[in-house]
Amino acid sequence: MTLPQEPPLDLLVHRMTWEADEVLSVELTHPEGKPLPAWEPGAHLDLHAGGQIRQYSLCGDPADTGRYRIAVLNEPSSRGGSRHVHTVLRPGATVTVKGPRNHFALAEAPRYVFLAGGIGITPILAQVREAAARGAGWTLWHGGRTARSMAFGAELTRLADACPAGTVHFRPQDRYGHLDLPAALDGLTPGDGALVYCCGPEPLLAAVEEACAARGLGGQLRLERFAAAPVAAPPGGESGFEVECARSGVTVTVGPDEAVVDALERSGVQVETSCRDGICGTCETRVLGGVPDHRDMLLSTEEQTAGRTMMVCVSRCASDRLVLDL
């Protein structure tokens, strides 16, 4: 995984389009017409909106270097990012973005099963397009509350019509109920090389994890979360530990109920953060010594075992001391 190093960009809001009920797509271009940094399916941008930094998946075409496209669901219960996009942001405005950054890359496979719930279609859309371009077999199961709430239906239908190896199943909940996971996973067997990609609300992700585990497909599942899944505290509760910042020469004590990033900031060491839930990767920090206790939802099992980086917003320490490249 690459540590975030990208400088921010100020981009122009070129176009905004209603893609479904309460879903607006936003096209961003460089104000001087310059090409934008390259990205691959599964990548997201950090968007500065309404005093918040929020992550939105890129759902356009990576081959189009002149524009980025994101899609934003209007969520009244959000902390303000989506509301700002829907009520304040307009074509002609300038917004600051950082990225792209990718924690949900599409690995090579002969066959894919894509599962999308609601606005979770945004990273999946670009992945479906890439799977079709690779000539792989693919099936998409797209669920949502109603047909009117499900974005990019026409675009997905055109993709499937142009790709003999692709199939789309639209499953609005008011007609079909929850996604039929046994049907979606039918025909997949452990070790057959097929991969399952899923993005959506936590109940869907948990159900897909359970269904794949029951079929021995856990190693073939790739997930992207909107929010962090609950993480149980270790037996006996949390304990404090020390963190040494190798470059700044600062050593801090992290309390049992304190996040590493909060302890660092309290001691004057600033780390860029966004979600503070371990789901965006903004605060990923290189580990030079000690054993991290990973609590994030991004690093793979192999990356967590290697312990080379950690998300300091949620992860803690499994040894007495951590040494970080800060």
Side-chain angles (χ1 to χ4, degrees):
M1 181 173 293
T2 302
L3 296 173
Q5 300 286 342
E6 314 91 342
L9 283 173
D10 292 327
L11 299 183
L12 187 69
V13 178
H14 176 69
R15 179 182 292 116
M16 301 178 73
T17 305
W18 287 107
E19 304 292 351
D21 286 351
E22 302 297 328
V23 178
L24 266 176
S25 67
V26 182
E27 290 187 10
L28 304 171
T29 60
H30 195 285
E32 298 175 10
K34 296 179 180 179
L36 300 174
W39 61 281
E40 295 181 352
H44 69 262
L45 290 177
D46 294 345
L47 178 74
H48 296 242
Q52 310 284 337
I53 303 175
R54 292 292 174 262
Q55 291 71 46
Y56 296 108
S57 297
L58 286 162
C59 56
D61 184 353
D64 185 354
T65 61
R67 73 191 68 205
Y68 289 147
R69 183 176 68 169
I70 61 173
V72 181
L73 172 66
N74 185 18
E75 298 183 271
S77 61
S78 76
R79 289 177 283 182
S82 70
R83 192 66 184 154
H84 179 85
V85 171
H86 277 256
T87 62
V88 178
L89 203 63
R90 293 294 180 265
T94 299
V95 294
T96 299
V97 304
K98 196 168 184 180
R101 197 180 292 114
N102 200 341
H103 302 284
F104 194 46
L106 187 69
E108 290 285 347
R111 179 186 175 194
Y112 301 93
V113 172
F114 298 106
L115 301 163
I119 197 63
I121 191 61
T122 49
I124 298 294
L125 174 57
Q127 292 179 334
V128 167
R129 186 182 292 110
E130 176 64 18
R134 293 179 185 179
W138 58 271
T139 305
L140 167 65
W141 295 74
H142 184 193
R145 297 188 313 278
T146 67
R148 290 176 57 88
S149 73
M150 296 164 60
F152 303 116
E155 201 166 324
L156 288 163
T157 298
R158 288 195 297 272
L159 269 171
D161 288 346
C163 180
T167 306
V168 178
H169 301 282
F170 296 105
R171 292 294 185 266
Q173 189 174 345
D174 61 346
R175 287 188 59 194
Y176 295 94
H178 295 300
L179 286 180
D180 186 347
L181 297 184
L185 300 175
D186 184 47
L188 300 188
T189 57
D192 65 1
L195 293 176
V196 180
Y197 279 79
C198 180
C199 184
E202 183 58 33
L204 171 62
L205 301 187
V208 172
E209 283 184 306
E210 182 178 352
C212 284
R215 290 164 173 77
L217 300 171
Q220 295 163 242
L221 173 63
R222 308 289 185 269
L223 300 175
E224 182 160 76
R225 285 184 151 86
F226 297 152
V231 176
E238 304 286 5
S239 58
F241 53 92
E242 283 192 341
V243 172
E244 176 188 344
C245 302
R247 284 189 282 118
S248 61
V250 173
T251 298
V252 303
T253 299
V254 181
D257 300 318
E258 187 176 28
V260 173
V261 69
D262 292 334
L264 293 171
E265 290 176 350
R266 171 170 51 78
S267 301
V269 180
Q270 298 300 314
V271 179
E272 186 176 1
T273 64
S274 177
C275 71
R276 295 203 174 223
D277 279 333
I279 61 171
C280 76
T282 302
C283 69
E284 186 177 4
T285 301
R286 187 173 287 107
V287 178
L288 303 179
V291 181
D293 176 8
H294 296 286
R295 311 282 182 90
D296 67 276
M297 300 294 160
L298 286 173
L299 296 177
S300 67
T301 301
E302 292 77 12
E303 289 170 326
Q304 290 188 349
T305 300
R308 298 188 187 95
T309 67
M310 65 182 290
M311 308 302 165
V312 293
C313 66
V314 293
S315 295
R316 297 184 64 78
C317 181
S319 53
D320 294 332
R321 184 182 180 89
L322 284 172
V323 183
L324 301 180
D325 187 18
L326 292 169

